[in-house]
Amino acid sequence: MKKFFTLLIIAIPMALLSQESHHKWQRFSGKWIVDNSRAMEINGWAAPWDYYELLEYNSIISLKDFKDYSEISVTANITERKQTPAEFLISFAITSEHASWFYRMYAFKLSGGFWGINKVSLIFTDKNDKSKPNATKNNRVIQEIASKNFKVKYGRDYNFKILFENGNVALYINGEKVLCAPFTEKTNYGRIAFSSKNAKVAIDKVEIKQGENTLFLDDFNEDSIYVRVVKATREVNRAD
Amino acid sequence: MKKIIITLMAIASLTFISCANDDGTKADLRWKNKTSSTTVEDIKWVSSEGKTDQVWDGSYNSGTATNYKGINALAGTGECISGGNPATIEFDTTDYEGTISVTTNSATIQENAAATLSIANTAKK
């Protein structure tokens, strides 16, 4: 009997932990669903919060930080343009100085219009005036480090690969080296995220590698997106 | 003639006043932060189609409330930012004011009501 209770005490927390452990991403905004082994943003339009750049998009962000990785790859499909500019971001080295205020990050940004994506750029964004509180509207700076005209069609799967090589960061699309720029940071430590604005997107097969070793893999065979909740509950007085 | 003009002016004034009192929205909604210590930045009322219907900008410390604001989408969900994290507001199905129905994730506000929803607890990951 004692053994049974001991096993029960061990089994219950393990079961609870295993329920939580399948979450790999946090939904920031937009309507993200996991269907047909893909993560899809199905709203298209984005409702900005006017704080840090990720909040201007429909984003999912990894729950874990990564460091010293050499490669990020993802299969992505910009399934439908809603408005111009249609944008898709692959963000990395996302960090916050306090809590979850993720002001600082790098991202490869794809932007385009009616006919398709026509520009790829590398951007850096951070808090503008660091003396101001985090909850200050429109206090961010965005720098375009490098850019190139490049065509990506809507409704097609593309393989995007970010490689850190010889002090540079490069974006490959379907194996073609599209953009390369110096990456001057000491480390690429931080979270990764995928974001869209004015377009619906589907992503699959996210992999982060350190050389030949896989640090992270998600093929969205299960719903790995966590939605953070703030509970609105009844206030109960002790006298009640 | 003078009487007609005065009457017309009076009608015009009454019409103007009546229009000024009605902002054209379907109901009013406010939020109370009843958490013990959590500050909430910005609250959004999002329509069931996923579009932002109303925004209460600013920081709301524990014990404070937003102003009433007009909403057009009577059915919707709540979103806010807490500690830099965007989050969905979960509704209490036993404590509501000026609503027709409340489920865990969505609420329907009564037309022309002055409704209040409370935020009492922050769920940490």
Side-chain angles (χ1 to χ4, degrees), chain A residues 79-91:
Chain A
T79 54
E80 185 186 335
R81 182 199 72 99
K82 300 289 283 187
Q83 286 176 51
T84 296
E87 295 176 340
F88 175 60
L89 257 63
I90 305 171
S91 307

Side-chain angles (χ1 to χ4, degrees), chain B residues 2-66:
Chain B
K2 200 176 174 183
K3 275 184 183 174
I4 291 168
I5 291 167
I6 289 166
T7 310
L8 277 172
M9 283 173 72
I11 290 166
S13 304
L14 283 168
T15 309
F16 177 76
I17 289 163
S18 68
C19 286
N21 284 340
D22 184 6
D23 63 359
T25 55
K26 291 182 179 172
D28 289 338
L29 177 62
R30 72 166 177 167
W31 302 80
K32 278 184 186 173
N33 183 356
K34 289 186 178 175
T35 58
S36 56
S37 60
T38 306
T39 300
V40 171
E41 279 90 19
D42 297 4
I43 300 167
K44 283 182 181 177
W45 176 246
V46 181
S47 75
S48 46
E49 290 82 34
K51 290 192 172 178
T52 302
D53 186 63
Q54 186 57 273
V55 181
W56 289 261
D57 277 336
S59 292
Y60 299 98
N61 295 325
S62 176
T64 61
T66 68

Side-chain angles (χ1 to χ4, degrees), chain A residues 57-72:
Chain A
Y57 292 79
N58 293 326
S59 303
I60 52 169
I61 183 170
S62 65
L63 289 171
K64 281 172 63 177
D65 296 301
F66 302 96
K67 63 177 182 180
D68 301 330
Y69 49 91
S70 54
E71 179 183 326
I72 303 169

Side-chain angles (χ1 to χ4, degrees), chain A residues 178-206:
Chain A
V178 174
L179 194 62
C180 184
F183 186 72
T184 54
E185 300 284 340
K186 285 180 186 168
T187 172
N188 55 13
Y189 173 83
R191 300 191 190 199
I192 66 163
F194 299 99
S195 312
S196 62
K197 191 198 280 183
N198 299 331
K200 296 180 181 181
V201 297
I203 62 168
D204 193 11
K205 297 183 185 73
V206 180

Side-chain angles (χ1 to χ4, degrees), chain A residues 102-116:
Chain A
F102 294 107
Y103 273 98
R104 185 181 171 84
M105 69 173 202
Y106 286 83
F108 279 104
K109 178 177 175 177
L110 285 77
S111 52
F114 183 83
W115 298 106

Side-chain angles (χ1 to χ4, degrees), chain A:
Chain A
M1 193 65 176
K2 200 177 171 184
K3 275 185 181 173
F4 174 74
F5 278 114
T6 311
L7 281 169
L8 210 65
I9 289 165
I10 296 166
I12 290 169
M14 280 181 77
L16 289 171
L17 281 171
S18 67
Q19 278 180 349
E20 285 296 312
S21 63
H22 71 275
H23 288 135
K24 295 174 179 174
W25 309 91
Q26 186 190 339
R27 181 197 74 111
F28 259 24
S29 45
K31 194 170 183 179
W32 288 86
I33 59 165
V34 174
D35 189 35
N36 198 20
S37 201
R38 297 193 303 178
M40 295 186 285
E41 202 295 306
I42 56 170
N43 258 357
W45 60 79
W49 291 91
D50 299 326
Y51 292 116
Y52 50 93
E53 187 66 1
L54 269 186
L55 292 180
E56 302 302 285
Y57 292 79
N58 293 326
S59 303
I60 52 169
I61 183 170
S62 65
L63 289 171
K64 281 172 63 177
D65 296 301
F66 302 96
K67 63 177 182 180
D68 301 330
Y69 49 91
S70 54
E71 179 183 326
I72 303 169
S73 64
V74 60
T75 300
N77 185 332
I78 301 166
T79 54
E80 185 186 335
R81 182 199 72 99
K82 300 289 283 187
Q83 286 176 51
T84 296
E87 295 176 340
F88 175 60
L89 257 63
I90 305 171
S91 307
F92 55 94
I94 305 167
T95 53
S96 68
E97 286 181 0
H98 176 70
S100 295
W101 295 99
F102 294 107
Y103 273 98
R104 185 181 171 84
M105 69 173 202
Y106 286 83
F108 279 104
K109 178 177 175 177
L110 285 77
S111 52
F114 183 83
W115 298 106
I117 295 296
N118 49 38
K119 183 183 173 184
V120 177
S121 56
L122 175 66
I123 62 162
F124 168 73
T125 176
D126 200 356
K127 201 171 171 181
N128 188 21
D129 185 345
K130 299 216 173 191
S131 65
K132 289 185 177 174
N134 287 315
T136 304
K137 294 267 186 190
N138 302 310
N139 183 29
R140 65 183 186 281
V141 63
I142 303 163
Q143 295 168 2
E144 188 178 88
I145 298 165
S147 69
K148 189 178 179 180
N149 291 337
F150 189 82
K151 285 190 167 61
V152 169
K153 291 183 176 175
Y154 300 135
R156 281 194 191 177
D157 280 3
Y158 287 86
N159 174 254
F160 297 91
K161 194 174 279 185
I162 296 170
L163 286 181
F164 294 87
E165 46 191 14
N166 308 320
N168 294 320
V169 59
L171 176 69
Y172 291 76
I173 301 177
N174 281 353
E176 183 183 344
K177 193 175 190 175
V178 174
L179 194 62
C180 184
F183 186 72
T184 54
E185 300 284 340
K186 285 180 186 168
T187 172
N188 55 13
Y189 173 83
R191 300 191 190 199
I192 66 163
F194 299 99
S195 312
S196 62
K197 191 198 280 183
N198 299 331
K200 296 180 181 181
V201 297
I203 62 168
D204 193 11
K205 297 183 185 73
V206 180
E207 189 173 13
I208 300 175
K209 291 171 84 173
Q210 188 180 52
E212 292 303 311
N213 298 327
T214 297
L215 301 176
F216 176 88
L217 179 68
D218 195 356
D219 50 13
F220 298 101
N221 283 339
E222 60 178 352
D223 190 347
S224 54
I225 302 172
Y226 161 75
V227 180
R228 192 172 182 274
V229 169
V230 169
K231 288 183 179 173
T233 55
R234 186 181 184 185
E235 188 180 53
V236 180
N237 295 324
R238 286 186 186 278
D240 289 348

